[in-house]
Amino acid sequence: QKEVEQDPGPLSVPEGAIVSLNCTYSNSAFQYFMWYRQYSRKGPELLMYTYSSGNKEDGRFTAQVDKSSKYISLFIRDSQPSDSATYLCAMIGGGSNYKLTFGKGTLLTVNP
Amino acid sequence: KAGVTQTPRYLIKTRGQQVTLSCSPISGHRSVSWYQQTPGQGLQFLFEYFSETQRNKGNFPGRFSGRQFSNSRSEMNVSTLELGDSALYLCASSADRGLNEQYFGPGTRLTVT
C-alpha cells in the first residue's frame, strides 16, 4: 500500500461547480498536509497547507483534514476554467520522515 | 522576489552519460529539495539540502547525488544515465527548515535516449 493514495481522475466539471479532491494516507506520523496545483509543463504551486485536523479556507479553496480517518480534502467553490490543472496532495512526517510525500495527482478540467 | 530558477530547462542525453542540473532558490531560502516526476511514479523525493548539508534522502540509487553551495544554489548529478531516468526534475526551496512552504521551480525535462 502506498503511503498516500489519490484518485488520478480525470475529473471533468462544468464551470461554477463545487469540486472535491481527496487523498487518503496510511502513515499516522504525517503532520503537515499540503495541496499543490500544477499546470501543464510547469512546476507545482503551493495552494494551502494545514497542520491539524479541521478546515482552512482561502478564497474559493477550503482544505479539510481528518486525522482520525487519515483523509484530507480540497474543495474548490465556483470553479473556473483557469482551475483546470493537476492537483497534488502532499504530506510531511516527523524525524526521518521530514520530507514531502506526494499523491500522484488528480487531473481536473473545468469546462466553460 | 524572483522565483526558483532551474537550468537547463530541457536536456537530451544518451544512456551511460552523466548530467548536472542546477537550481537557484528564492533569495533568502536556505533549504533546497529535489524531486523526480514521472507519469508512472508521480513526484518522488530525491534529497534535501539545508545550509550545505544533506538533511534527508529518498530511495534512489547512489547514481543520484547533489550538493549545495554557500549561496544556497544547488546542483544535482546523475551518473551512468539509464532510460528510466527520463523525467521532469524539480527543485523546490523553502525558508529555514519549513518544508510546509516549499516553492517549486519550473523543472528540467531530461530525456535519456
Side-chain angles (χ1 to χ4, degrees), chain B residues 29-62:
Chain B
H29 284 191
R30 291 190 292 163
S31 171
V32 174
S33 297
W34 288 90
Y35 299 86
Q36 181 195 67
Q37 187 174 32
T38 60
Q41 298 299 317
L43 256 165
Q44 293 185 285
F45 172 76
L46 280 157
F47 29 67
E48 187 227 347
Y49 287 87
F50 181 81
S51 293
E52 301 179 67
T53 300
Q54 187 180 88
R55 184 162 63 172
N56 211 338
K57 191 177 188 309
N59 298 322
F60 279 81

Side-chain angles (χ1 to χ4, degrees), chain A residues 93-110:
Chain A
S96 61
N97 276 319
Y98 192 69
K99 60 187 180 188
L100 261 69
T101 301
F102 282 87
K104 283 199 174 181
T106 300
L107 178 61
L108 170 68
T109 301
V110 181

Side-chain angles (χ1 to χ4, degrees), chain A residues 8 10-17 19 21 36-45 47 60-61 74 76-88 105-112:
Chain A
L11 185 60
S12 182
V13 301
E15 183 175 353
V19 176
L21 304 164
Y36 283 84
R37 176 175 63 195
Q38 186 174 22
Y39 292 113
S40 181
R41 301 192 179 278
K42 302 279 189 183
E45 169 195 8
L47 285 174
R60 296 184 296 111
F61 298 89
L74 178 71
I76 307 174
R77 289 184 300 281
D78 188 25
S79 56
Q80 303 295 309
S82 58
D83 294 328
S84 298
T86 296
Y87 289 80
L88 299 138
T106 300
L107 178 61
L108 170 68
T109 301
V110 181
N111 301 299

